[in-house]
Amino acid sequence: VSHAWGDVFEDFVKTLQAAVHPDTTVWVCSFAIWQHGDIESELQSLEECPFAVALRAAQRVVVVCDKTVSAFDRSWVALEATFARKWNRPYDVVMPEDSNYELWRSVNDKLQRLELQKCESTMSRDKDRIMDYANREFGSVDIINRHIRAASQTALRRAELFSAVSSGDLNRGRRFPIE
């Protein structure tokens, strides 16, 4: 689970309950890693850091965010997106009001302008290492920006489908192919 610490915890829980099956095991860094300790030695190799080890074992990456999508302001979320892309993990962006089409339109507008190059980290050297890694792996951080934008588009389509179904708009609902 990829997320930002600043989001409301109750929304985080509500979103996870809706986005993953109750029997699914999830890895949440803020629970798994002591957030106020010095973990520098564990971060020497980005591909061997705790985030990477967990993500390599995961079947998918779920980014939990709120309407501010502040999670995408964080360098470590950018790294998790990079790993998801590199290791071909499904990458899904979810919110507490995941079926709210109008909210998703607003969020999607923000994410379509996303530039991970402007993200932040508590330790500036972490951001530099993460951006260097993404550039080395894909030739450009813009590949990851496009990966996240595509996930946002998918979430927007999902919200539109939910909206069509819940409103009984069969014509709008028929535009969505069954996969």
Side-chain angles (χ1 to χ4, degrees), residues 58-124:
Q59 294 178 2
R60 78 186 243 230
V61 177
V62 176
V63 184
V64 175
C65 60
D66 62 15
K67 64 184 175 186
T68 67
V69 290
S70 62
F72 292 102
D73 294 339
R74 306 300 304 159
S75 299
W76 290 101
V77 172
L79 179 64
E80 292 159 352
T82 303
F83 288 152
R85 170 81 180 193
K86 178 177 181 173
W87 295 323
N88 298 313
R89 299 300 186 266
Y91 190 80
D92 195 15
V93 183
V94 295
M95 293 190 299
E97 298 178 39
D98 210 41
S99 62
N100 183 329
Y101 177 66
E102 292 306 317
L103 176 59
W104 263 112
R105 281 184 42 180
S106 172
V107 166
N108 185 59
D109 287 346
K110 289 180 189 178
L111 290 179
Q112 294 309 308
R113 295 186 303 272
L114 176 74
E115 293 183 40
L116 289 175
Q117 300 86 327
K118 295 179 181 176
C119 64
E120 303 170 357
S121 66
T122 305
M123 309 297 264
S124 61

Side-chain angles (χ1 to χ4, degrees), residues 123-137:
M123 309 297 264
S124 61
R125 68 183 174 271
D126 290 349
K127 176 186 175 179
D128 295 340
R129 290 175 54 217
I130 291 166
M131 293 299 118
D132 288 346
Y133 178 84
N135 281 317
R136 245 189 348 269
E137 288 298 314

Side-chain angles (χ1 to χ4, degrees), residues 7-16 64 66 95-96:
D7 291 348
V8 176
F9 185 72
E10 289 82 6
D11 286 347
F12 176 80
V13 172
K14 176 183 171 184
T15 305
L16 274 184
V64 175
D66 62 15
M95 293 190 299

